[in-house]
Amino acid sequence: MTRLPLAVGIAVVFWFPLVSKETLARAQPIAQQEMVIGVEQFDAWIFQGGNNRGQSTREMLDSRTTQELMRINQIVELDDTQMMRLRLAGRGDVKRFFDRVEAARRKFFEIQPKLTRNNINDAYQLAMPLQQELAAGLFGPMSLFQKTISSTLDDHQLETWQREIERADRLRAERAIKMTIAHMQRQVPMTADQRSKLSDLLIAKIDGVKTNDQYAQYLVQYRMSKIPREAFTDIFDGEQMKAIDRSIQRGRAMAATLRQRGMLNE
Amino acid sequence: MNNRFDCLPLDRHRQAGPMRLSIGLVIACLVLFGVHAETGECQDAVVVVADLVNQDEDSNEEDEADLLLRLLINTELSLVKRVCELSDDQMAPIVAAATVAHKTLAKFAVNIEELDDETPNAVVFSGNSKAFTENPFRQVRAEVAKLLRGLVTDQKYHSYRKESRLRDEYERETAVRLAIEWLDQKLALSVEQRTALHRELLEKWLDADYHAWDAYTWEQPGFPPLPQALIEPIFNSTQRAKLAAFQQESIHVHIYHDDSMTIGEDWVK
C-alpha cells in the first residue's frame, strides 16, 4: 500500500464568506504597514499567491486548454484540422493574457520607485483586472478559443456543443445551490419538505451561477439576499429564520469579494 | 504559517493555532488527509479534522472538540423536535439522554499531536488540540437515532429516521455531483459515462461526503478520494491513464464552526 505525502489542504464549510487575512491584505494593500512592493508581490496579486512569475499558472492554463479540447472532442468529435485550430486559439488566449501581464509589469516597474503607503493601490489596480480575468477563466465568450469554436465547428457540431454548454451551466448552477443548501442544513436543521421548497425557490429565483469558481456558493448566498424575505418566512419557522437572516446578511457582505473575482457586476 | 486560507496542510495547521479570520467571521473549513493510492482504499483513509475557532481570543482550546460536538448534537435535536413535533417537555428526556451521549462521544477525543501521516484509516475530528476518529456528523446522527428509539413512539421514530435518510441521500447526491463534475473537468466525460457514473456512485458509494468533496472545488493539484474500483470500468483507456497520472494526496478536512450561524437552540448546555 502506497502512502502518499500529506499535502492538500482545503477550505470551506458551512456557507459563509471565506476570507482570510491574506485575502483582505490582497484586496486592501493600503491597509498594510510601510512596505516595499516587489514584482514578486505584484505577481502574487495576479496569480493569487504564486511566486514563480506565473509559470505554474501557465502550465495550468496549457493543461486546461488540452482538457477543454478533450471535452469538446468527446461531445462533437473534432477532426485534425479543427483540433489544430482550437489548440492554436487556446494558446493564443494564454499568450495574450501573459502579454497583458508583461504590459502590466512594465507599468508597475515605472511606478514602483514612487510607491508609498498612500498610492500603493495604484499598483494593485494594475494587477486586479488580470487577477479577475484569470479567476473568470481565459476561454470565456470573448476569447479566441470561443470565437474559433464558432467559426470552426459545422452547424451540427455547433448545435450539439451549445446544448452541452447549456447542460453544463445548468448542472453547475444546481450543484452550487445544492451545496449551499447542504451546508445550510448542517447548521439550520430542516425537514425534507423545507429543503425541497428552498431548493425550488433558489432554482427559480437565482440566475447566473454558472461558474466553476469555488466562490459559486457565496454567489448563491449573495443572490439569496436579493430574494424577498417573505419567500423564506413562508418556508421556515421563527427560530430557523433568525439563523437564515444572519446568513443572508453575510451573503450581502460577500459582494465586494465577488466583484473582485469578476463574478458580480451589480 | 501558511497564509493561504484554502490550503492548510496538517503540519502547518498545528503551527498556526486558532486561525483568526477577518471581518469578524468564524469560518468552517475542511481539510482531508490520509488518502491511500491503492484502489478502493481511499475512503477508509479520510481523516476529518474539525476545528472550532471562537471569536473570543481567550477561548479554551481544550473544550473546542466538546463544543463542536455539542453544537452538532443540538442541531440534530432541533431537527428531532421539528420532525417529531415534540413539546419542550417531551424533549426533556431526549436532551438528558443526549447529554450522556455527548459525554460518551467526547471520550473518543485524542490529542491532535497523536495524529501523523501514518494514522491508519482513521476519521478524526478535532479542535486545535483534540481530535475524534469518526466523521462527527455521521457519529452524532447515529447516536441521536439510537437514543431516540426508546423515547418517542414508533411512528415518530420512523418519521425521524425517514427524514434523516432523505437528508443523507441529499448530501450524498451532492457529493456524487461534485465528484462527477470534477471528473468531467479532468477527464472529459461523455454523456453515457456521466450517466453511468451517477448511477453507480449514487447506488454504491456509501461513504461519499459532500463536505469533504466541497474541499476539492478549491482548485487543488491532487486527486480526491474516490472509489476507483467503481469508476475505472466506466472510463476508456485514455481516461484511465490520465486518472492514474493524477497524484493522490493525503488530505485533512478541517472545520471551523461558527455557532452564531446555527439555529441557536441550546438543548445540551
Side-chain angles (χ1 to χ4, degrees):
Chain A
M1 186 184 302
T2 308
R3 185 124 192 130
L4 294 167
L6 178 70
V8 178
I10 315 287
V12 176
V13 158
F14 299 140
W15 56 304
F16 32 87
L18 194 56
V19 183
S20 69
K21 285 177 180 173
E22 192 201 10
T23 301
L24 279 189
R26 284 199 299 264
Q28 298 171 314
I30 198 164
Q32 296 182 23
Q33 292 296 314
E34 201 70 55
M35 58 172 72
V36 177
I37 299 295
V39 72
E40 295 81 9
Q41 175 63 58
F42 185 74
D43 283 353
W45 286 337
I46 298 171
F47 301 114
Q48 296 288 282
N51 58 2
N52 56 356
R53 293 178 65 81
Q55 186 54 37
S56 57
T57 302
R58 190 185 293 271
E59 287 164 8
M60 180 269 287
L61 290 170
D62 287 343
S63 164
R64 195 165 286 175
T65 308
T66 303
Q67 281 172 22
E68 196 62 13
L69 277 172
M70 276 178 63
R71 210 157 73 83
I72 298 170
N73 195 42
Q74 274 282 21
I75 304 299
V76 298
E77 207 167 338
L78 301 169
D79 63 31
D80 289 347
T81 307
Q82 289 174 321
M83 187 76 88
M84 184 192 67
R85 283 182 182 163
L86 285 170
R87 190 179 294 283
L88 283 173
R91 285 178 186 160
D93 284 323
V94 174
K95 183 183 180 305
R96 290 202 312 187
F97 173 74
F98 278 95
D99 286 347
R100 288 192 288 279
V101 169
E102 280 306 319
R105 280 191 186 122
R106 283 195 293 276
K107 286 182 187 165
F108 169 75
F109 285 128
E110 285 171 18
I111 65 171
Q112 189 184 25
K114 302 170 200 161
L115 286 176
T116 67
R117 289 179 65 187
N118 293 330
N119 65 359
I120 196 72
N121 265 327
D122 293 348
Y124 186 70
Q125 293 304 322
L126 290 174
M128 194 174 65
L130 294 162
Q131 179 199 105
Q132 288 177 350
E133 195 180 343
L134 197 54
L138 297 190
F139 306 135
M142 302 306 292
S143 65
L144 283 176
F145 193 79
Q146 289 301 327
K147 288 173 184 165
T148 307
I149 285 177
S150 301
S151 62
T152 304
L153 269 52
D154 65 35
D155 288 348
H156 178 65
Q157 284 176 315
L158 209 49
E159 190 183 329
T160 306
W161 179 241
Q162 195 53 44
R163 277 202 306 271
E164 165 63 13
I165 295 290
E166 287 165 8
R167 181 203 67 85
D169 284 349
R170 181 175 47 78
L171 286 182
R172 274 197 286 272
E174 286 177 8
R175 185 263 294 160
I177 287 169
K178 274 182 88 74
M179 183 63 73
T180 306
I181 293 174
H183 280 324
M184 272 181 82
Q185 69 176 1
R186 285 192 171 181
Q187 292 192 291
V188 184
M190 58 184 81
T191 63
D193 182 54
Q194 289 177 317
R195 186 170 52 243
S196 173
K197 285 176 178 165
L198 178 62
S199 179
D200 290 347
L201 173 69
L202 298 190
I203 287 171
K205 298 286 184 185
I206 291 181
D207 192 20
V209 183
K210 297 171 182 171
T211 173
N212 275 332
D213 194 297
Q214 60 265 47
Y215 280 73
Q217 284 175 70
Y218 305 122
L219 185 55
V220 173
Q221 293 165 33
Y222 174 80
R223 300 271 191 231
M224 281 174 68
S225 73
K226 301 295 180 188
I227 298 174
R229 187 174 184 274
E230 294 70 36
F232 296 102
T233 55
D234 287 346
I235 300 173
F236 296 107
D237 63 39
E239 287 302 314
Q240 289 171 318
M241 273 310 298
K242 288 178 188 171
I244 300 277
D245 281 339
R246 287 193 292 270
S247 302
I248 288 174
Q249 281 171 15
R250 288 192 171 170
R252 279 193 203 103
M254 284 304 289
T257 302
L258 294 169
R259 275 190 208 101
Q260 186 195 343
R261 297 185 70 81
M263 296 170 71
L264 194 61
N265 297 318
E266 314 168 358
Chain B
M1 176 176 176
N2 184 354
N3 286 323
R4 278 182 64 94
F5 65 92
D6 56 343
C7 186
L8 190 65
L10 177 61
D11 53 346
R12 296 189 180 182
H13 161 67
R14 286 172 183 153
Q15 293 163 19
M19 187 186 240
R20 302 293 172 198
L21 300 179
S22 320
I23 58 174
L25 300 181
V26 181
I27 302 299
C29 96
L30 290 172
V31 183
L32 289 173
F33 92 98
V35 181
H36 294 257
E38 205 164 274
T39 302
E41 294 280 334
C42 55
Q43 283 306 303
D44 293 334
V46 172
V47 174
V48 183
V49 171
D51 192 356
L52 266 178
V53 179
N54 285 324
Q55 287 164 301
D56 180 1
E57 295 271 331
D58 298 325
S59 63
N60 182 353
E61 286 185 19
E62 289 294 316
D63 296 330
E64 283 175 350
D66 283 1
L67 176 56
L68 182 50
L69 277 174
R70 188 165 60 76
L71 288 167
L72 297 187
I73 289 172
N74 283 337
T75 304
E76 197 62 16
L77 293 186
S78 290
L79 180 67
V80 168
K81 179 180 166 58
R82 282 165 177 78
V83 170
C84 300
E85 298 180 333
L86 301 175
S87 67
D88 284 359
D89 284 347
Q90 289 171 316
M91 285 295 291
I94 297 167
V95 172
T99 304
V100 174
H102 175 227
K103 288 173 182 163
T104 306
L105 289 176
K107 284 180 186 168
F108 291 105
V110 297
N111 290 323
I112 198 167
E113 288 77 15
E114 293 171 24
L115 302 174
D116 56 36
D117 294 356
E118 300 305 317
T119 301
N121 303 334
V123 179
V124 179
F125 191 83
S126 81
N128 285 311
S129 56
K130 291 289 181 70
F132 290 88
T133 52
E134 293 283 342
N135 179 318
F137 294 98
R138 289 183 190 148
Q139 199 177 25
V140 164
R141 290 170 187 182
E143 284 297 317
V144 169
K146 207 191 313 179
L147 68 87
L148 204 59
R149 184 177 263 282
L151 297 174
V152 295
T153 64
D154 281 355
Q155 187 187 4
K156 289 182 189 298
Y157 176 75
H158 288 302
S159 294
Y160 168 75
R161 293 294 284 167
K162 183 183 174 191
E163 283 286 345
S164 189
R165 179 176 52 78
L166 290 171
R167 176 184 55 189
D168 289 348
E169 285 173 3
Y170 186 88
E171 292 183 356
R172 207 152 59 80
E173 217 251 337
T174 304
V176 166
R177 283 209 184 195
L178 275 170
I180 293 174
E181 195 173 313
W182 186 90
L183 287 164
D184 192 20
Q185 283 170 22
K186 303 294 180 189
L187 306 178
L189 304 174
S190 67
V191 174
E192 293 76 16
Q193 286 175 322
R194 284 195 297 260
T195 305
L197 277 169
H198 191 267
R199 186 185 58 239
E200 284 292 297
L201 291 175
L202 206 55
E203 185 186 338
K204 297 171 185 167
W205 190 23
L206 302 182
D207 286 338
D209 186 326
Y210 88 89
H211 224 155
W213 262 88
D214 184 33
Y216 293 108
T217 62
W218 300 79
E219 193 157 329
Q220 300 294 330
F223 181 64
L226 273 169
Q228 296 196 42
L230 273 181
I231 63 175
E232 281 188 348
I234 295 169
F235 298 142
N236 61 34
S237 56
T238 308
Q239 290 167 325
R240 268 188 226 115
K242 194 162 185 195
L243 192 66
F246 284 112
Q247 185 188 10
Q248 293 198 38
E249 291 185 317
S250 301
I251 305 291
H252 252 136
V253 176
H254 187 182
I255 297 181
Y256 297 88
H257 184 93
D258 181 0
D259 60 355
S260 76
M261 301 305 290
T262 59
I263 194 165
E265 293 173 338
D266 293 331
W267 303 105
V268 175
K269 305 292 182 190

